[in-house]
């Protein structure tokens, strides 16, 4: 079966802009989680969605937001980009949530803010 | 084989030897733990998981050991191969919807 698909793979944005990243989970999976990966901070949890509802949110500013659609696809948005937002953004899909069942990660979107 | 007693960011291992990667977790209430492998340019790939009612679980060439007394997790890779070169992360369950990841160990396999 198809894996987790994240688009785009690479993005370059300038400070102050906003960006939207997309994640299509594995068919049948209803939970999508988003993580930010940087060399200094490692993998940091952003938020998790299940059946279009946000169930958990990490310690990120309000500039980071997300949503999930009825087909379980999810998007995350970052507004007013800062240089420190440069990172690999990963999404993970699972049946019920990454804390309970095996989670599968996409290849990520590499965001560079200049 | 080679092992690390404490978490170290890098591990160099001879091809064919066994590798042991260690990880300390923080939440004594965690009941689910996972090891992930991340190759360059890719997302983390699930290797093996273990629940807190077990202290050992084996997969193909990999074994995870859980010591709840000292909150320690380890991943053993048997007969390490060049394709095992990657960054390995342990993760613990924070709640039903969230994992916390360790800092990662970069494993380099020497030919």
């Amino acid at each position: 079966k198809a894996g987790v698909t994240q688009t785009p793979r690479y993005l370059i944005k300038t400070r102050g802009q906003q960006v939207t990243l997309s994640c299509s989970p594995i068919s049948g999976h209803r939970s999508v989680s988003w993580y930010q990966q940087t060399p200094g901070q490692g993998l940091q949890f952003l938020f998790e969605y299940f059946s279009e509802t946000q169930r958990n949110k990490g310690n990120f500013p309000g500039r980071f937001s997300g949503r999930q659609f009825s087909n379980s696809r999810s998007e995350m948005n970052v507004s007013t980009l800062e240089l420190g937002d440069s990172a690999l953004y990963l999404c993970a899909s699972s049946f019920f949530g990454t804390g309970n069942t095996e989670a599968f990660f996409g290849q990520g979107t590499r965001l560079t803010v200049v | 084989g080679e092992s690390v007693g404490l978490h170290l960011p890098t591990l160099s291992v001879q091809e064919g030897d066994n590798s042991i990667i260690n990880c300390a977790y923080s939440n004594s209430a965690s009941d689910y733990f996972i090891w992930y492998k991340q190759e360059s340019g890719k997302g983390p790939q699930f290797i093996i998981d273990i629940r807190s009612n077990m202290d050992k679980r084996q997969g193909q060439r990999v074994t995870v050991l859980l010591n709840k007394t000292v909150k320690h997790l380890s991943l053993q890779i048997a007969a390490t191969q060049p394709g095992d070169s990657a960054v390995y992360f342990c993760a613990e369950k924070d709640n039903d919807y969230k994992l916390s990841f360790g800092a990662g160990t970069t494993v380099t396999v020497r030919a």
Side-chain angles (χ1 to χ4, degrees):
Chain A
K1 56 183 176 182
V4 180
T5 304
Q6 291 189 246
T7 57
R9 288 291 312 278
Y10 303 93
L11 267 177
I12 300 176
K13 291 284 187 178
T14 55
R15 279 179 297 175
Q17 286 188 311
Q18 68 92 28
V19 67
T20 299
L21 312 181
S22 178
C23 173
S24 293
I26 291 171
S27 178
H29 285 190
R30 295 163 66 188
S31 168
V32 174
S33 300
W34 288 90
Y35 288 81
Q36 181 195 64
Q37 186 175 28
T38 59
Q41 298 297 317
L43 280 141
Q44 300 288 317
F45 173 78
L46 282 155
F47 28 66
E48 188 261 4
Y49 288 87
F50 183 85
S51 293
E52 302 179 67
T53 300
Q54 186 185 90
R55 297 193 298 188
N56 207 195
K57 190 176 190 304
N59 297 321
F60 279 81
R63 300 186 296 107
F64 292 81
S65 63
R67 58 178 175 169
Q68 187 180 35
F69 302 94
S70 58
N71 62 357
S72 294
R73 188 178 71 86
S74 177
E75 289 181 346
M76 67 163 282
N77 183 277
V78 188
S79 62
T80 320
L81 283 165
E82 301 176 0
L83 294 179
D85 297 332
S86 294
L88 180 67
Y89 289 88
L90 294 158
C91 83
S93 86
S94 62
F95 277 113
F96 301 117
T98 55
N100 273 318
T101 53
E102 184 177 343
F104 297 84
F105 281 85
Q107 290 192 293
T109 294
R110 173 74 63 184
L111 172 65
T112 302
V113 183
V114 297
Chain B
E2 298 187 57
S3 67
V4 287
L6 299 174
H7 170 258
L8 293 177
T10 62
L11 174 65
S12 180
V13 60
Q14 185 69 38
E15 181 179 357
D17 284 355
N18 297 331
S19 306
I20 300 176
I21 307 165
N22 292 317
C23 177
Y25 63 91
S26 57
N27 185 356
S28 57
S30 290
D31 61 2
Y32 181 55
F33 306 88
I34 312 102
W35 281 99
Y36 284 93
K37 170 187 180 183
Q38 187 174 25
E39 297 174 278
S40 181
K42 297 184 179 180
Q45 176 188 0
F46 176 93
I47 301 173
I48 191 168
D49 59 2
I50 188 168
R51 299 197 183 269
S52 59
N53 60 351
M54 304 172 70
D55 52 22
K56 179 179 179 179
R57 190 163 187 229
Q58 290 184 288
Q60 186 176 12
R61 282 202 306 120
V62 294
T63 300
V64 56
L65 298 177
L66 175 63
N67 184 330
K68 295 180 287 293
T69 303
V70 295
K71 294 190 289 185
H72 183 268
L73 196 64
S74 69
L75 177 71
Q76 301 177 2
I77 305 173
T80 310
Q81 302 170 359
D84 295 327
S85 292
V87 181
Y88 290 81
F89 294 95
C90 65
E92 64 176 302
K93 169 185 171 180
D94 275 2
N95 55 45
D96 286 346
Y97 326 120
K98 178 188 170 190
L99 297 172
S100 286
F101 285 81
T105 295
T106 300
V107 173
T108 302
V109 181
R110 306 189 304 270

